[in-house]
Amino acid sequence: LEKRAAKKGATVVEVEALPKTTPVEKKKKSTWTGRTFTSPAGVPILVGRSRKENDRLSLVIARDGDYWLHARNAPGAHVLLQLSRAPRYYSEPEPDCLQMAAD
């Protein structure tokens, strides 16, 4: 390669190779392990059962347009109405969705 480059008038420059790096492992997408329900209107309802699941619901899974609820005096008290994943657009959850989430 160097000889061919020199014949064509190219300048050959030697450089030191960079050290090999180990490939970065892709972060595994963890799936939701909490309770999941679907309202009669097709809205996914996710319920956290532990502090870890509650944090994941609130900080990772929730999107704009979703409704987050806190069930009083219940273990795993975070409930997420995923209006962003509903089959049709909802500006507010329907009463049956709210009732199902409360139950």
Side-chain angles (χ1 to χ4, degrees):
L1 180 64
E2 292 174 16
K3 288 180 185 179
R4 285 194 326 206
K7 280 184 185 178
K8 294 193 178 210
T11 306
V12 177
V13 178
E14 287 189 39
V15 294
E16 189 175 322
L18 295 173
K20 289 186 177 182
T21 58
T22 57
V24 177
E25 288 184 30
K26 288 185 178 179
K27 203 173 191 181
K28 291 182 181 179
K29 257 190 174 178
S30 57
T31 57
W32 174 245
T33 58
R35 299 186 78 189
T36 304
F37 304 96
T38 304
S39 77
V43 177
I45 300 172
L46 307 181
V47 181
R49 297 176 295 182
S50 65
R51 181 179 202 168
K52 184 178 177 181
E53 288 178 354
N54 289 343
D55 287 346
R56 185 159 158 57
L57 266 181
S58 304
L59 304 174
V60 177
I61 296 174
R63 301 277 181 258
D64 284 342
D66 291 345
Y67 269 61
W68 176 84
L69 307 168
H70 189 270
R72 193 177 329 155
N73 299 327
H78 291 203
V79 179
L80 183 70
L81 296 176
Q82 284 191 300
L83 297 179
S84 61
R85 293 184 151 241
R88 68 179 187 90
Y89 174 75
Y90 291 96
S91 60
E92 291 185 6
E94 293 181 350
D96 60 337
C97 292
L98 291 171
Q99 186 59 52
M100 188 172 185
D103 293 342

